[in-house]
Amino acid sequence: AGEDGEDCSNKLVYMTAVGTMNNCLGGASLYVSIDELRSWQYVGSLFSQLGQNFTYYASCLPPPDQRDRGDNIPPGSKGYGGHCDQFGKDCRMWECPDFFETNTPGIQAFKYSDQARERFQFAQDFYVLSESQLTNYSLAGLQDGQDAYSGMMDGNFYPATPVDYGVVYASKSFQAADKRRLWLGWVFEDSLGCTELCADGTPFIREVLQWQGAQTLMREITYNADTETLRFYPIAETRKLRLGAPLYDGHFLLHTHGETASPVTQLLLPEEHTYDDASEQQITRSGGAGDHAAGDSMGGADSPVLGPSHPGSLDRSPSGRRQVEVLLNFTLQAEEGELRVQDMDQLHPFEFALEMLTGNGTHTRIKVNGTASVPGGPANRECGDVRPAPHLLGGERWSCVHTAAVWVDREHSGGFSKDSTQGGPIKLPAAGVKGTDLSLDVWVDRSLLEVYAFDGSSVVTSRIYPLPVVEERPSSVQTPKHSAEAGSPGHVQMGAWGYQVSAKWGPGHVKVKAEVHELGSCWIEGDRD
């Protein structure tokens, strides 16, 4: 019934959740409208920090000497949260809540955004899953501190899980006409000089970049029953942005030696144009198929180049390879011949990586690392390898990945890039995953990187700012002292970016399938075939 006792049983009821800080705890307050959106009535809490974890009740209580002191209580210390702090270590405001049924019936998701000054990633989005039958809106209506959303799976609290390990905030999702759950996030600036969300910008952002903030690619959200997590991956329509034939498309092997990294395979060699201030003489360093540009390879001047660049790829990249899609699949293979018993009984570290060569000695390393078992080992049997001695039987020989994580290493990204590393673990099934066709997909849009590991099981959105191509840099914008470009003579223009792959896998070699596609603008007129 409405507030005046009116019978509302036959009326359409609208509900919305608003990010709040209630009693010093983050939450999503629930409102309803029964008059076609003309007015809204507060009815309780959809979900909150207290519902997420009851221990917050104790951790956010004010100090004992500040409890029950009536008018003497310091401002903001009333309620659960003690001294209310929108960006607090434990108790903080929630923003931009999102609540939806996943593509798997019976599984619901709640997403929120928050900010914490003491956290490495100041602003971040998280999700919590729950079994649909546990959602009870009447609990919120009681307004007794209980949440409508349970946040529980299999009888346990579901841990808050990052939507993205990088610089994404305030994301929202919606259901498309074909029932897909689509997601879009805001990417904030993260250059040197930026703090928190970089709301005030920096001289570099205002005078050189001259724009601030972006949106991610549209991603589809799907539920992975094997890991009880959500996957976020660019929608299939992003393929329409591809321009012509691939810049690179091929297969190759990376041969490793124990713990030593493989020689790099350069998919596309970088190109640089250097102008000397005194003579204006142009020096060009570029790579064609099989060529090596000294100093451009992560492996040094003597590293072999195994992968050819496609002839004419520079001509087919109007962005200078700054707007590309890199699709990589890795398979951890054991060496032919008999494996030692001790090799079968232990987990072995692995790593595969994509290096972006952004010119003038700068590079960004994107990698997946973890541990894996080899064929014939006890751990592999749980992963699906039931053959007792595959080294004797021949045929397919696969490894099993048991732990994994994805990282974007910006230590040498140069320019106005921060030198921190972003990333985190990839949730895997308890028995592990087969070590074949492990995906690492990277979308590059100049300063913006979107990294998707294992088909979107973990995502990192990152920002890099190598020195841009400018004829004259404003006097207020100084080259960072830590940058590879600092102190270099003359004016440097970076040409086409390069991309190369390497790996570490002691028990054998790594098979790689790689594609690189040039991408056009998303601002198009009409439909693109």
Side-chain angles (χ1 to χ4, degrees):
E3 290 182 335
D4 57 359
E6 177 187 5
D7 183 9
C8 303
S9 58
N10 294 323
K11 290 193 174 184
L12 187 62
V13 177
Y14 294 90
M15 306 179 72
T16 189
V18 179
T20 60
M21 192 170 194
N22 190 5
N23 285 327
C24 301
L25 285 168
S29 295
L30 195 61
Y31 292 80
V32 300
S33 174
I34 58 174
D35 56 4
E36 298 182 346
L37 311 182
R38 288 190 294 271
S39 64
W40 294 87
Q41 179 182 350
Y42 172 75
V43 295
S45 173
L46 175 61
F47 195 45
S48 69
Q49 283 189 292
L50 193 60
Q52 184 184 37
N53 189 333
F54 290 142
T55 63
Y56 281 121
Y57 180 88
S59 64
C60 297
L61 281 170
D65 62 337
Q66 294 180 7
R67 299 176 194 170
D68 302 323
R69 289 169 53 184
D71 294 338
N72 295 323
I73 295 178
S77 64
K78 214 169 192 177
Y80 303 134
H83 293 282
C84 287
D85 185 353
Q86 180 181 349
F87 317 109
K89 178 181 178 181
D90 296 313
C91 306
R92 49 188 173 266
M93 184 175 181
W94 283 3
E95 297 185 293
C96 306
D98 199 2
F99 175 57
F100 55 89
E101 192 87 12
T102 71
N103 61 308
T104 298
I107 304 297
Q108 289 180 330
F110 177 89
K111 181 246 112 189
Y112 65 93
S113 308
D114 72 5
Q115 304 168 39
R117 287 199 176 100
E118 296 187 25
R119 189 171 59 202
F120 166 72
Q121 195 67 51
F122 169 74
Q124 204 163 7
D125 285 8
F126 297 89
Y127 71 84
V128 175
L129 299 183
S130 181
E131 298 165 10
S132 302
Q133 72 270 18
L134 299 178
T135 299
N136 186 345
Y137 293 104
S138 64
L139 292 178
L142 296 175
Q143 298 189 29
D144 62 352
Q146 296 189 71
D147 296 332
Y149 187 73
S150 74
M152 300 189 75
M153 292 277 288
D154 303 322
N156 300 308
F157 283 112
Y158 193 93
T161 302
V163 169
D164 189 302
Y165 286 119
V167 289
V168 164
Y169 192 69
S171 63
K172 292 294 289 183
S173 73
F174 61 93
Q175 183 171 285
D178 58 6
K179 305 302 182 182
R180 289 181 299 171
R181 174 59 55 172
L182 305 185
W183 175 100
L184 193 66
W186 168 48
V187 184
F188 53 90
E189 301 301 326
D190 193 36
S191 71
L192 285 176
C194 282
T195 58
E196 299 181 351
L197 291 172
C198 204
D200 297 328
T202 66
F204 164 73
I205 290 173
R206 292 190 296 268
E207 300 180 39
V208 177
L209 200 62
Q210 296 185 350
W211 57 273
Q212 184 162 345
Q215 296 287 82
T216 63
L217 291 170
M218 189 74 72
R219 303 173 187 174
E220 181 179 0
I221 304 175
T222 55
Y223 175 70
N224 183 356
D226 292 334
T227 57
E228 294 188 338
T229 57
L230 296 181
R231 283 177 170 167
F232 296 79
Y233 197 77
I235 59 175
E237 288 84 345
T238 57
R239 298 192 188 101
K240 293 184 178 182
L241 299 177
R242 296 176 180 175
L243 298 179
L247 301 179
Y248 182 93
D249 186 1
H251 299 74
F252 50 89
L253 290 178
L254 295 174
H255 296 276
T256 62
H257 305 282
E259 301 302 317
T260 304
S262 68
V264 297
T265 292
Q266 289 186 303
L267 310 180
L268 296 166
L269 301 180
E271 180 188 65
E272 295 184 8
H273 302 287
T274 303
Y275 297 89
D276 180 81
D277 284 341
S279 64
E280 295 298 323
Q281 179 183 5
Q282 178 176 336
I283 304 171
T284 301
R285 291 191 290 134
S286 63
D291 293 337
H292 175 71
D296 286 339
S297 169
M298 292 281 292
D302 297 326
S303 295
V305 177
L306 306 179
S309 297
H310 284 319
S313 64
L314 290 176
D315 299 334
R316 294 187 287 109
S317 179
S319 71
R321 305 195 196 117
R322 289 164 169 77
Q323 195 166 294
V324 300
E325 171 190 9
V326 183
L327 304 177
L328 301 171
N329 284 274
F330 298 84
T331 296
L332 305 178
Q333 294 184 328
E335 289 285 5
E336 295 297 329
E338 186 169 339
L339 290 168
R340 297 176 302 173
V341 173
Q342 57 266 37
D343 289 332
M344 297 182 184
D345 291 338
Q346 61 182 323
L347 298 181
H348 301 268
F350 73 87
E351 176 183 301
F352 48 80
L354 170 72
E355 283 110 7
M356 298 172 50
L357 308 178
T358 49
N360 217 26
T362 65
H363 50 83
T364 298
R365 183 177 175 84
I366 302 165
K367 68 180 181 180
V368 170
N369 59 9
T371 59
S373 56
V374 297
N380 256 51
R381 297 190 187 102
E382 297 179 8
C383 198
D385 185 354
V386 297
R387 294 165 295 173
H391 56 284
L392 299 178
L393 301 178
E396 186 179 19
R397 303 161 57 79
W398 65 74
S399 61
C400 182
V401 176
H402 297 275
T403 64
V406 57
W407 309 97
V408 176
D409 182 352
R410 302 182 293 177
E411 182 179 0
H412 302 288
S413 296
F416 289 85
S417 309
K418 291 183 178 177
D419 59 3
S420 57
T421 297
Q422 299 165 301
I426 304 169
K427 181 72 178 295
L428 302 178
V433 294
K434 193 173 173 180
T436 59
D437 294 322
L438 304 171
S439 67
L440 177 62
D441 301 336
V442 181
W443 272 256
V444 180
D445 189 2
R446 295 171 173 83
S447 71
L448 198 159
L449 311 179
E450 295 190 29
V451 178
Y452 300 84
F454 292 18
D455 302 313
S457 297
S458 285
V459 185
V460 187
T461 299
S462 187
R463 305 298 299 271
I464 59 171
Y465 306 88
L467 287 182
V469 177
V470 291
E471 291 302 321
E472 293 184 5
R473 189 173 305 133
S475 59
S476 59
V477 180
Q478 301 297 322
T479 303
K481 291 183 178 180
H482 84 274
S483 170
E485 301 91 336
S488 59
H491 173 70
V492 176
Q493 284 191 328
M494 292 177 292
W497 288 359
Y499 297 86
Q500 63 187 27
V501 178
S502 62
K504 294 180 183 178
W505 170 237
H509 51 263
V510 180
K511 181 181 178 182
V512 184
K513 181 183 185 303
E515 295 179 31
V516 183
H517 297 270
E518 177 79 9
L519 299 178
S521 172
C522 65
W523 298 104
I524 58 177
E525 296 183 6
D527 294 331
R528 177 175 287 162
D529 294 334

